[in-house]
Amino acid sequence: MKQYRGALLDSELNNAIMEKMDELLAQLNPEQQKAVKITRGPILILAGAGSGKTRVITFRIAYLIRSKHVDPKNILAITFTNKAAGEMQSRIQNLLGSNHDVWIRTFHSTCAKILRGGAERIGIKRNFVIYDEYDQISVVKECLSDLEIDTKAFSPAYVAAVIDNVKENLAPASAIEDDTLRHIYNLYSKKLSEYNALDFDDLIMKVVELFKTDRDILEYYQNKFKYILVDEYQDTNRAQYVLTKMLAERHRNLCVVGDDDQSIYSWRGAEIKNILDFEADFPDTTVIKLQQNYRSTRRILKAASAVVSNNEYRKSKTLWCDNETGEKIVFFDADDSYTEAAYVARKIMELRLKDVSLGDIAVFYRVNYQSRLFEECFITYRIPYEVVGSLRFYERAEIKNVLAYLRVINNPDDAVSLKRIINIPSRKIGHETIEKITAYCEKEGMSIYEALHEIESIKRINTGTRKRIRDFTKMMDRHIKSQQQVDIYELAMQVVKDSGYLSSLSEDRTERDYIRRKNVEELLISMKDYVRERPDATLNDYLEEVSLRSDIDDWNESTERVNLMTLHNAKGLEFDVVFITGFEDGLIPHYKSQKDPKQYEEERRLLYVGITRARKQLYMTYARQRDMFRAGPSYTDLSPFYDEIPRDVMCAGYSFD
C-alpha cells in the first residue's frame, strides 16, 4: 500500500511538473519550443540578433531536468563570459525553483576545473597558477631579456600574439617558421613550467592534451556530460572546437547556439567555419532558425538585414518582428570629426530633455582612439559617460606614458612618473638598478632625478647601465630647458621622438601595437588643438586640465552615464538609442580589410551587430574631414555600406542623393 501511495504521489508530482513546464513553454514561439524540446542528437540553433537565444538555452536546460529527468550533473553549458554564465545560472534557478548542479561555465573555467582534477597526469601540479595577459607579457619580457633580443625587433606584444596563435590552433612549436620566435616560444613554455603556471590558452590546450594522453579521463567526462550546450558557437577557435567535439563524441547530444552573421572576432582566433560547417561534422544535425526579433523596430531590422544579406559566406536567414515600425534612421553628414562629436552631444542633450535615460544611450566607434573627441565633448556639455570594455582615453597605458614624460619635465621631483618612464621604451634599466638608486636617494636625502645626475657615485651599477642612465638624463635635461621655448605640442613631439617611444609602437606588428600608436597620435592631435585654443597656456596648465579629464567623477553625481564603446565591445548588449559614428571608408569597413574578402565580410557583420543593438532609435554619423597624424586634416569617403541600406528607412540631416 505504501509503495502504491508513493508511486501515486510521484505520478501527481510528475503531472504537476509537466503542467508547469507546459505553462513555461507556452511563453515561447513555435521555433523556440522546437529548439527546447528536441533533446537528442546534434542540434544547430541559428539564433538571429534579439531572437531570445538565452531564454531558449535556459528553458532547454530546465526542460531536460524537469521533463526528461536528466541529472543536472550530466549537463554542461558553455558560455563566453562570466556575466553570461551568471545570468544563465540565475534564470535556471528561477525556472526550477531550486539550486542545481549544472556546469554553466566559460571554456576557460571549465578547463581549469578539469585540470585541477587531472593535470598531474601530464606533469602539471594541481596548484598551478593562471597567468593573465599582463603576467604573460612579463614572462615574454624575461625571455627576450634572457635571449638578449631587442624588443624593437620583437615587441613583447607581438611575441605574445604569436604564442596565442600557436596555442589557439593546437600547433606544435615546430610550426613556428621563424627560428627566433620558436626559441622564444620554447623558453616561454619552459619558464611557465618552472613557475607552475598556465596562461589562458594553455587551459584549453592542456585539457586537449590530457584527453589525448589519458583515455580514461576523457571517457569520464564524456559520460559525465551527456548533454552539452555551447553558446556563441560562431566565436569558437580551433582549440575550443576540438575540445567540444571530443567531449560530445560518445553521446552526441551537442546543442550549439550562435549566429554566423555576428561572427566578428577572427582577430581573436574565432573561426566562422565552425558554425558554418557544423552540419558537415554532424550529418544528422537538426537545424533550427530563430528569426523573430523581440528587440528592434521594423525599420532598424530592415536596415540590418539589407546590409548583412550582401555577404556570401553565411547561412540564409531573415529577421522579422511584430514590433512597431519605429522612427527612421537619422544620418548626419558632418563637416569634420569635431562637428560630428558636437552633433552627438547635442542630440544626447535633446534626448535627455525627453526623459531618455543616459544609460539607455550608446555611442559606437570602430577603434578606441576615436573616443577622445567624444569624451572631451561630453565633458564640455557636462554629459556623464562610461567607456565600456576599455579604459578612458587618458587612462590608457600608452597615454599615461607620454603624460608621465611631460610630468617629469614639469616637475622633476615626481618620482612616480620618473619610475614609470625611465625604462619606457626599453633602455635595459632594470628594477635592481632602480632599487639601488632609490636606496642612494634615501641615504643622501635627494630626489631620484637628482640622484640620476650622480650615477657615477652609486655603487654596483655596471658601465653600460650608467651610460644609458646618463643618456636618459641628458635627454630629459634638454626638454626641461626647452619647455619655455616651445609650445606643448612641439614639446610632446620632441619627447616621443627623442625618447624613441613613438617608433617603438610599430604599426605593422599586431593590432594592439597599431592601436597604441594611433592613441598616441590622437593625443598629439589633441595637444595641437589645445595650443590653438589656448596659445598662452603653460605645460602645468595642460597637465592640470588633463588630470581633471581623467577623473570626471568629481563633477558627475549622476549614476546614469552614456555608454561609449567600440563596435566589437557592443556585441551582446542593447540600448534604446544607438549612435554609430565614423561611418567612413577606412573605418567602417576598416582599411586593413579591403584587400581580403573574408575580412571585408566580417566588417559588414560588425556593422550588422552595431545596427541590431538599437531598440528604438538609430543615428549614423559621417565626418567629411578627419585629422590624421602628420597629414593633418584629410578628406574622407562615405562608407560603401551606406548604399546597402534601403533609403526608405533613413532620413538625413544633409542628403547625399
Side-chain angles (χ1 to χ4, degrees):
M1 185 68 180
K2 283 184 178 180
Q3 185 176 5
Y4 172 76
R5 186 175 296 166
L8 180 62
L9 289 173
D10 286 344
S11 176
E12 291 174 349
L13 180 60
N14 285 336
N15 288 336
I17 290 172
M18 289 303 295
E19 287 179 7
K20 177 66 174 177
M21 282 306 305
D22 287 342
E23 291 177 11
L24 291 173
L25 291 175
Q27 302 174 24
L28 306 179
N29 67 41
E31 289 304 304
Q32 289 175 331
Q33 289 187 29
K34 184 179 177 183
V36 168
K37 290 183 174 180
I38 299 176
T39 58
R40 304 294 296 181
I43 300 171
L44 169 61
I45 301 176
L46 294 171
S51 62
K53 71 178 178 64
T54 302
R55 168 176 273 204
V56 167
I57 294 171
T58 52
F59 272 61
R60 182 180 173 84
I61 293 171
Y63 184 79
L64 284 168
I65 295 170
R66 285 290 185 247
S67 298
K68 295 298 181 180
H69 310 295
V70 174
D71 189 331
K73 295 178 182 178
N74 294 142
I75 301 173
L76 170 64
I78 297 178
T79 70
F80 267 80
T81 66
N82 291 317
K83 180 181 178 182
E87 183 180 349
M88 282 190 191
Q89 290 275 13
S90 177
R91 288 197 191 190
I92 293 170
Q93 187 167 328
N94 289 336
L95 287 172
L96 297 178
S98 61
N99 292 325
H100 57 84
D101 296 319
V102 178
W103 275 35
I104 303 178
R105 296 171 171 269
T106 64
F107 271 106
H108 293 103
S109 65
T110 297
C111 290
K113 188 167 184 177
I114 291 173
L115 286 173
R116 295 293 180 195
E120 292 176 347
R121 307 284 182 96
I122 52 174
I124 301 171
K125 296 177 183 177
R126 292 185 63 180
N127 65 336
F128 64 84
V129 296
I130 301 171
Y131 278 175
D132 61 16
E133 184 180 0
Y134 178 83
D135 299 320
Q136 181 187 30
I137 291 292
S138 296
V139 178
V140 168
K141 288 178 179 177
E142 285 183 25
C143 295
L144 294 173
S145 177
D146 291 353
L147 296 172
E148 297 183 344
I149 296 171
D150 190 348
T151 54
K152 290 182 180 178
F154 292 89
S155 75
Y158 170 64
V159 173
V162 171
I163 292 171
D164 290 346
N165 183 259
V166 170
K167 294 184 178 183
E168 286 168 357
N169 287 285
L170 301 177
S174 58
I176 304 174
E177 295 181 2
D178 186 280
D179 291 340
T180 302
L181 286 171
R182 189 166 58 254
H183 289 322
I184 298 170
Y185 180 90
N186 287 331
L187 180 57
Y188 173 85
S189 300
K190 182 173 181 290
K191 283 182 179 289
L192 286 191
S193 180
E194 290 173 355
Y195 302 159
N196 190 31
L198 302 177
D199 61 30
F200 282 162
D201 289 311
D202 273 330
L203 292 173
I204 299 173
M205 185 179 75
K206 292 298 183 182
V207 168
V208 172
E209 179 184 338
L210 174 64
F211 286 169
K212 289 181 177 179
T213 302
D214 195 316
R215 186 74 189 178
D216 290 341
I217 291 181
L218 172 60
E219 290 180 354
Y220 169 81
Y221 283 104
Q222 285 177 337
N223 287 322
K224 175 177 176 59
F225 300 129
K226 294 181 172 66
Y227 294 86
I228 300 172
L229 300 91
V230 182
D231 191 15
E232 304 287 7
Y233 192 66
Q234 77 281 349
D235 293 335
T236 53
N237 60 30
R238 170 70 182 172
Q240 292 161 341
Y241 161 82
V242 170
L243 173 66
T244 301
K245 200 171 180 183
M246 292 178 81
L247 284 171
E249 187 178 30
R250 173 161 296 211
H251 295 284
R252 302 181 79 258
N253 296 321
L254 173 62
C255 174
V256 300
V257 186
D259 181 8
D260 52 297
D261 287 336
Q262 296 186 69
S263 179
I264 59 173
Y265 295 125
S266 66
W267 51 280
R268 289 183 185 172
E271 297 185 352
I272 191 174
K273 69 177 184 178
N274 291 346
I275 192 167
L276 294 178
D277 296 346
F278 187 79
E279 294 159 88
D281 292 332
F282 298 91
D284 55 336
T285 294
T286 299
V287 179
I288 301 169
K289 296 181 181 181
L290 304 182
Q291 300 176 98
Q292 183 175 357
N293 177 282
Y294 293 92
R295 176 189 300 154
S296 306
T297 65
R298 294 180 186 179
R299 281 190 169 121
I300 290 172
L301 283 189
K302 185 175 181 179
S305 297
V307 168
V308 81
S309 65
N310 287 277
N311 276 355
E312 295 182 10
Y313 200 48
R314 67 185 291 262
K315 298 277 190 180
S316 175
K317 72 186 87 68
T318 302
L319 287 182
W320 63 276
C321 71
D322 285 332
N323 301 336
E324 62 182 3
T325 301
E327 300 289 332
K328 284 192 173 185
I329 298 169
V330 177
F331 192 92
F332 182 73
D333 169 17
D335 289 336
D336 53 41
S337 54
Y338 303 91
T339 307
E340 176 188 47
Y343 169 80
V344 171
R346 288 196 302 271
K347 280 297 173 185
I348 290 173
M349 293 294 287
E350 290 176 14
L351 291 165
R352 199 175 188 181
L353 292 173
K354 295 177 181 178
D355 293 327
V356 176
S357 169
L358 292 181
D360 288 332
I361 302 173
V363 178
F364 301 158
Y365 37 82
R366 177 62 180 82
V367 284
N368 276 309
Y369 68 79
Q370 289 175 258
S371 76
R372 195 260 303 177
L373 286 177
F374 293 107
E375 293 188 55
E376 292 184 355
C377 203
F378 287 0
I379 291 172
T380 300
Y381 280 83
R382 316 290 281 186
I383 299 173
Y385 68 91
E386 182 78 23
V387 181
V388 179
S390 178
L391 295 171
R392 292 190 181 98
F393 184 81
Y394 291 99
E395 293 177 341
R396 293 166 188 152
E398 58 273 19
I399 302 303
K400 283 184 171 291
N401 291 339
V402 176
L403 294 177
Y405 270 101
L406 298 178
R407 288 192 174 104
V408 173
I409 292 169
N410 184 62
N411 175 20
D413 290 334
D414 184 349
V416 172
S417 294
L418 182 57
K419 286 182 179 180
R420 183 182 184 100
I421 60 160
I422 195 169
N423 202 41
I424 292 178
S426 175
R427 299 182 178 92
K428 297 183 179 179
I429 301 173
H431 294 296
E432 288 187 13
T433 300
I434 300 300
E435 289 174 0
K436 292 171 185 175
I437 295 171
T438 302
Y440 181 83
C441 292
E442 293 174 353
K443 179 182 177 182
E444 300 296 328
M446 61 176 61
S447 70
I448 292 179
Y449 195 80
E450 290 172 329
L452 294 180
H453 289 81
E454 297 186 16
I455 195 64
E456 305 298 338
S457 302
I458 303 176
K459 298 178 181 179
R460 299 192 305 279
I461 295 178
N462 65 52
T463 304
T465 303
R466 290 182 197 275
K467 181 182 184 304
R468 289 189 288 273
I469 290 175
R470 284 198 303 271
D471 291 342
F472 170 77
T473 307
K474 288 177 182 177
M475 178 192 68
M476 294 302 293
D477 283 344
R478 284 197 309 273
H479 293 310
I480 289 172
K481 291 178 181 177
S482 69
Q483 67 174 307
Q484 303 299 329
Q485 283 78 47
V486 297
D487 63 39
I488 299 161
Y489 168 73
E490 291 173 345
L491 176 65
M493 282 293 294
Q494 291 175 7
V495 168
V496 296
K497 287 181 178 179
D498 291 355
S499 66
Y501 186 57
L502 191 62
S503 61
S504 73
L505 299 174
S506 169
E507 293 186 81
D508 302 322
R509 287 295 189 182
T510 68
E511 184 73 2
R512 281 180 289 186
D513 282 339
Y514 166 79
I515 289 173
R516 285 168 181 158
R517 184 183 177 95
K518 283 296 181 183
N519 283 337
V520 171
E521 292 175 358
E522 188 71 7
L523 176 66
L524 294 170
I525 291 171
S526 75
M527 289 178 177
K528 184 184 290 187
D529 295 339
Y530 182 87
V531 170
R532 185 172 59 245
E533 294 169 4
R534 298 186 58 187
D536 297 325
T538 64
L539 176 59
N540 189 68
D541 293 333
Y542 174 77
L543 291 172
E544 181 178 307
E545 186 165 322
V546 167
S547 295
L548 293 175
R549 286 177 180 172
S550 298
D551 190 7
I552 63 169
D553 291 338
D554 288 344
W555 57 265
N556 173 29
E557 297 180 358
S558 173
T559 56
E560 292 189 343
R561 298 176 180 177
V562 174
N563 302 278
L564 282 169
M565 68 191 78
T566 64
L567 283 162
H568 283 100
N569 284 326
K571 188 169 175 293
L573 305 177
E574 57 184 75
F575 305 92
D576 280 352
V577 182
V578 164
F579 292 83
I580 297 179
T581 65
F583 197 45
E584 301 145 29
D585 197 8
L587 285 175
I588 305 173
H590 195 274
Y591 77 91
K592 287 188 175 181
S593 72
Q594 295 177 2
K595 293 182 179 180
D596 185 337
K598 288 187 177 180
Q599 289 299 314
Y600 195 80
E601 288 206 350
E602 181 161 322
E603 290 293 306
R604 189 180 276 118
R605 293 195 294 270
L606 186 59
L607 176 59
Y608 170 82
V609 166
I611 293 173
T612 54
R613 300 310 93 193
R615 288 191 287 252
K616 298 178 180 178
Q617 181 68 70
L618 175 64
Y619 294 83
M620 304 180 83
T621 63
Y622 156 65
R624 290 177 179 269
Q625 188 173 279
R626 194 173 291 276
D627 279 355
M628 302 299 292
F629 186 66
R630 291 195 182 95
S634 297
Y635 288 99
T636 65
D637 293 323
L638 181 62
S639 170
F641 296 155
Y642 176 82
D643 291 330
E644 298 176 359
I645 302 174
R647 292 295 181 271
D648 62 344
V649 302
M650 300 183 74
C651 64
Y654 297 91
S655 177
F656 288 90
D657 301 326

